[in-house]
Amino acid sequence: MPANDFHFCPNCGGTAVRYEDGKKWRCEECNFTLYNNVAAAVAAIISDRDGNVLFEVRAKEPRKGLLALPGGFCNYDETAEEAVRRECLEETGVAPEKTAFLCTFPNDYSYKGIAYKTCDLFFTAELPERAGTIAELMQKLHGQESEVAGFCARAVRTPEDIARLPLAFESAKKSLTVWLSTRTM
């Protein structure tokens, strides 16, 4: 049974709602079908040449207080590239000048009792040259209060560095591992 257990059909109000095939709910009374589709989310790995990565401290659930990469959900009618730029600007106050696709990973995102399955798309992001190092940049950032409790920079130079990070999402850990492998080639 999925974490999202519906007791009433949103179409007819009937109670004969069944979860089928691990991907949809169907009302046996009116045949209404609700699919449990995957949501698209984006995140940016913003780093300096010394291997320091910018992280946000999450201000809300899920996983409040843990570290996350700047990012969020894609809006409808928006490309992933547009979404990562928008999310960076909203959450940090600084928009990247360049982004490059890195990798994707599935993720679980539980919010207010609803389990969402996401496909997280990760990008590397270059900030404007005037932004300086990650340490200098952090002094200029202003986080979106509803999303970001603060910022920090962490050295990500080895797999052990990644393992020590109190990351909110497993997909971010996997993306940093991919990112690190591209830096050491």
Side-chain angles (χ1 to χ4, degrees), residues 18-162:
R18 304 290 178 257
Y19 191 65
E20 299 176 348
D21 306 324
K23 61 182 176 185
K24 64 185 176 189
W25 293 266
R26 190 179 62 76
C27 176
E28 294 177 354
E29 294 177 32
C30 72
N31 209 30
F32 175 79
T33 303
L34 175 65
Y35 286 89
N36 190 19
N37 292 331
V38 173
V42 295
I45 299 174
I46 301 169
S47 65
D48 60 24
R49 65 181 78 99
D50 296 326
N52 299 306
V53 175
L54 176 68
F55 292 96
E56 300 173 347
V57 178
R58 290 185 56 80
K60 69 177 192 177
E61 295 298 340
R63 300 174 183 106
K64 181 179 179 178
L66 296 178
L67 300 183
L69 297 165
F73 289 99
C74 295
N75 290 335
Y76 63 90
D77 292 338
E78 180 179 54
T79 67
E81 292 83 0
E82 291 167 340
V84 76
R85 184 174 170 80
R86 175 187 52 77
E87 284 287 344
C88 281
L89 180 59
E90 287 176 2
E91 292 186 356
T92 69
V94 179
E97 285 186 347
K98 296 179 184 177
T99 60
F101 174 75
L102 179 66
C103 60
T104 67
F105 287 101
N107 193 30
D108 294 320
Y109 188 92
S110 296
Y111 182 66
K112 293 188 177 184
I114 297 177
Y116 297 92
K117 294 292 188 178
T118 65
C119 179
D120 294 351
L121 297 96
F122 292 91
F123 294 81
T124 57
E126 291 182 24
L127 294 173
E129 285 187 31
R130 65 188 179 283
T133 66
I134 294 292
E136 293 168 335
L137 171 67
M138 284 182 25
Q139 296 174 16
K140 301 173 189 174
L141 299 178
H142 50 88
Q144 185 180 21
E145 288 184 26
S146 62
E147 301 284 330
V148 181
F151 298 98
C152 65
R154 295 288 188 266
V156 179
R157 297 183 192 102
T158 67
E160 293 76 24
D161 291 338
I162 297 169

